[in-house]
Amino acid sequence: MHASTDLDAAAKPDNIALAAIRSPLAALALALALLSLLLTVTIPQPIGPMFWDHYLYLDAANRLADGQIPSVDFFAPVGGLGYYLFAALQAAFPSGHPLLLASWCLLIVTGPLIGLIMLDIQKRSRALAYAILLPFLLFSVLPFNTGDFYPYPGSDGFGIYNRQVCQLLYVLAAALIYVSNPRILATVVAGAMIALFFVKITGAVAGVILCLTAFAAGRISLRSAVTSALIFFSVLAAIEFSLGAASAYVADILALLDVNDGSLLPRLFQAASLNAGLLLPAGILCLTLFFANLPAFAASLRAACRRPSVVGINQVLDQNFVWLAAFLVAGILFESQNTGSQAFIFLYPLLLRIVLDFAAKSTSKRLTITVSLLATAAALPPMTVVAQKSARAWIGAVNNVRIESRNLKTMGAVNVRPILALRAEHMRDAYITQRGAFDTLADAGELPSFLLYSDFDFQTAWLTNVDGAVDALRAYEAANGVRFETIFNIDFANPFPWLMDRHAPKRVAIGADPFRAIPPPDAKVRAAVAAVDIALVPTCPPTNVNRTLLALYLPSLEAGHTRITLTPCYDAFVRNGLRPGETAAGS
């Protein structure tokens, strides 16, 4: 398991440079450098299901540039760290594609943390360090989920913050299992837990389970645990006292729980069923480990009962099946709240340790082979799925056509299959000319397609509609001598302020899902909506979702705004002072 030859080679002066080049840290630095180079140009991405989810990062970055603070100035269903990291990376690489910026921005945090882990592990075994690093890079570099939500290959522009949580849990698991230096361990645990909290709070819950497992098993000392906790709460306190963001974030999560008041049990079953391909072998492995180690476990339990001690309790709980069971519980809890993720990738460091332990200590060749096969069956699915999906999406994009646009900046660097581009045109024409049919569907509470928001033609047409709406907004401003400073799109995503270098209203939620992610508007939200210069309403097609969303904000718009037809696919509520003739009269 240990590669002592690495240290011997490095000890020779004439091999120091070669050892440094071959080290995992050098590989990590090279990977980060290559990603930086890729972000200096705009690389078109094949459109994918729910592709508009990553446009939220553009909206957030624009709000941050205006001085808005997530949870303090606008409702956010997740933590604000991902938004800040995206904004920082976008400032450094303005030509980078938004999807790649959103997917890779977490490396600002995970890169240094995994680097510390490599620094510790490679002293004992360079091979082991590479075995931890390479899967981490696979999941971090390839922006794809482990689950399928559409039959056609395309980019996974959704569930990005869920992927980020899984990558952080991978780093945390690797540290808890392999890092021996207490200072590095405390630093990585604290850093990972802070990031988990401010990316998605359910990720922090999963992280706590991992940390408690390691602490109970004696893998992390009381001193390291206290140090990590002090760092964690010190950072939270600093953020709270300076911005008030920590308590506001918790308040947003509590409000979100009120909106999503369904039972947890069905979602747990859903998470288990969606990931059954790896959970079944992992569960069988857990049972195998339990029965294989039952005599030793029983003996340590009896000894701990006779003479209770911390060391005795650690020995009882430091069992591979205990670790694996706890990791599985943490993963199922986290995945129960997700749509799109890199589910259970953090099992890999533990599964690797289990295999290495049996290879080194087990006297039963049959048991070693069984454990190795089950661990492989649990570890491989996420890797193979992500690799396959990336290959299908990017190789299949060779024959794709670029979506034509004039106003979409880097957001418009998207391509799609010719047959789907043609379908998008046909469906858009139908939405415009057959409006009554789609109104009938909306009246019945039905979408035009059960998978409408995953349909590539919808996502393609949505971009075309946004592009046309920007032209219409500029034409309206030029014709009437006005300027819309605050633009509100009554839809899931609002890229207009970023596209037009304007402002989004404060207080309004980001990621507008009226059934899952928006609490009822309070007085501050209503006042902010009432003050917007223009509110856009998409109509291609009319849907029950957008109707529900409009119903939340319509009372705030009716008194001070007038509804107009902006384009065949967008209506608009224009603030009365900005309508034709009123600006001159009021000046």
Side-chain angles (χ1 to χ4, degrees):
M1 181 173 174
H2 301 301
S4 58
T5 55
D6 292 352
L7 293 177
D8 295 338
K12 300 178 181 179
D14 55 345
N15 287 333
I16 291 178
L18 179 61
I21 293 173
R22 294 169 60 191
S23 74
L25 279 175
L28 174 62
L30 178 61
L32 296 178
L34 289 175
L35 294 181
S36 299
L37 286 175
L38 291 175
L39 290 177
T40 60
V41 295
T42 307
I43 304 175
Q45 297 297 302
I47 208 159
M50 294 176 276
F51 196 68
W52 59 357
D53 199 25
H54 81 276
Y55 303 154
L56 304 186
Y57 286 88
L58 296 169
D59 184 11
N62 193 71
R63 297 187 192 215
L64 296 181
D66 282 344
Q68 294 191 35
I69 301 171
S71 296
V72 175
D73 293 313
F74 60 91
F75 180 87
V78 295
L81 178 61
Y83 301 145
Y84 281 102
L85 295 177
F86 175 88
L89 206 61
Q90 187 185 46
F93 301 99
S95 297
H97 194 285
L99 175 56
L100 299 180
L101 291 170
S103 299
W104 295 344
C105 67
L106 188 71
L107 283 165
I108 297 173
V109 174
T110 56
L113 293 180
I114 200 72
L116 288 174
I117 295 172
M118 293 300 100
L119 183 65
D120 183 84
I121 297 177
Q122 71 179 12
K123 294 176 182 177
R124 304 189 301 276
S125 170
R126 187 170 60 205
L128 178 60
Y130 268 115
I132 296 297
L133 176 64
L134 294 180
F136 166 80
L137 290 176
L138 172 75
F139 295 121
S140 299
V141 171
L142 301 181
F144 291 87
N145 301 319
T146 51
D148 288 314
F149 285 84
Y150 206 69
Y152 279 9
S155 300
D156 284 343
F158 67 99
I160 293 173
Y161 39 81
N162 295 329
R163 297 202 296 261
Q164 292 175 340
V165 166
C166 294
Q167 292 158 19
L168 283 165
L169 289 174
Y170 184 105
V171 170
L172 179 62
L176 292 173
I177 294 169
Y178 293 105
V179 171
S180 58
N181 184 301
R183 292 183 179 179
I184 292 179
L185 181 58
T187 301
V188 174
V189 169
M193 286 303 301
I194 292 166
L196 283 167
F197 183 85
F198 283 108
V199 170
K200 192 174 184 181
I201 203 165
T202 51
V205 173
V208 167
I209 295 175
L210 269 57
C211 291
L212 288 177
T213 303
F215 180 72
R219 183 65 188 80
I220 181 170
S221 67
L222 178 62
R223 182 175 181 178
S224 294
V226 170
T227 301
S228 298
L230 287 175
I231 296 173
F232 177 84
F233 287 109
S234 296
V235 172
L236 254 65
I239 292 173
E240 176 62 22
F241 290 136
S242 60
L243 302 173
S247 60
Y249 174 37
V250 172
D252 279 359
I253 298 303
L254 294 176
L256 196 63
L257 290 175
D258 287 338
V259 177
N260 296 270
D261 57 358
S263 173
L264 177 63
L265 188 60
R267 297 191 67 88
L268 292 174
F269 282 123
Q270 181 186 53
S273 64
L274 287 173
N275 297 282
L278 65 84
L279 287 179
L280 283 175
I284 296 173
L285 174 61
C286 193
L287 291 174
T288 302
L289 295 172
F290 172 74
F291 287 111
N293 201 45
L294 186 57
F297 175 68
S300 63
L301 185 59
R302 286 193 297 269
C305 291
R306 285 195 302 268
R307 294 183 179 180
S309 67
V310 173
V311 174
I313 294 173
N314 291 157
Q315 290 176 346
V316 171
L317 295 176
D318 190 16
Q319 308 288 335
N320 282 330
F321 73 86
V322 174
W323 281 79
L324 184 54
F327 275 42
L328 291 174
V329 169
I332 291 173
L333 280 174
F334 176 65
E335 294 304 327
S336 69
Q337 306 302 310
N338 295 343
T339 300
S341 177
Q342 289 179 339
F344 294 95
I345 64 172
F346 63 92
L347 289 181
Y348 171 80
L350 176 60
L351 294 171
L352 179 62
R353 188 193 75 172
I354 291 171
V355 170
L356 294 176
D357 282 351
F358 268 80
K361 301 174 184 177
S362 178
T363 57
S364 171
K365 185 176 181 180
R366 180 179 297 178
L367 182 60
T368 300
I369 293 174
T370 301
V371 167
S372 299
L373 289 175
L374 288 171
T376 302
L380 277 183
M383 299 184 197
T384 55
V385 167
V386 168
Q388 180 193 34
K389 291 180 70 174
S390 62
R392 286 189 70 201
W394 289 334
I395 294 174
V398 171
N399 295 321
N400 285 7
V401 294
R402 180 81 174 257
I403 296 176
E404 297 296 329
S405 64
R406 298 167 300 280
N407 309 298
L408 299 183
K409 299 182 179 179
T410 53
M411 193 178 94
V414 180
N415 53 54
V416 67
R417 293 188 180 191
I419 190 173
L420 294 174
L422 182 61
R423 174 176 167 80
E425 294 179 14
H426 291 163
M427 293 302 296
R428 184 175 180 272
D429 290 341
Y431 295 150
I432 295 171
T433 60
Q434 306 298 323
R435 174 71 177 269
F438 297 102
D439 280 328
T440 300
L441 286 172
D443 291 340
E446 296 288 348
L447 294 172
S449 163
F450 189 74
L451 295 176
L452 179 69
Y453 301 120
S454 292
D455 287 337
F456 291 10
D457 57 272
F458 172 83
Q459 295 293 333
T460 301
W462 192 87
L463 283 171
T464 300
N465 295 339
V466 168
D467 190 43
V470 173
D471 277 335
L473 287 169
R474 288 176 174 155
Y476 186 100
E477 289 178 328
N480 297 286
V482 299
R483 179 179 170 87
F484 300 121
E485 290 294 344
T486 53
I487 305 175
F488 176 34
N489 188 33
I490 306 178
D491 201 355
F492 177 73
N494 181 22
F496 290 97
W498 177 75
L499 292 173
M500 300 184 68
D501 299 315
R502 309 297 171 84
H503 311 283
K506 285 188 176 182
R507 310 299 176 187
V508 177
I510 195 169
D513 183 341
F515 301 119
R516 295 183 61 241
I518 301 182
D522 59 17
K524 292 181 179 179
V525 173
R526 291 194 296 270
V529 173
V532 299
D533 288 343
I534 189 167
L536 304 175
V537 182
T539 59
C540 287
T543 66
N544 61 316
V545 178
N546 284 345
R547 285 185 178 184
T548 303
L549 193 58
L550 178 58
L552 290 174
Y553 300 116
L554 188 59
S556 304
L557 295 168
E558 288 179 314
H561 295 72
T562 299
R563 185 167 184 165
I564 65 170
T565 298
L566 185 67
T567 73
C569 287
Y570 269 98
D571 287 356
F573 286 88
V574 180
R575 187 163 57 82
N576 289 338
L578 298 176
R579 291 174 59 211
E582 294 184 359
T583 304
S587 60

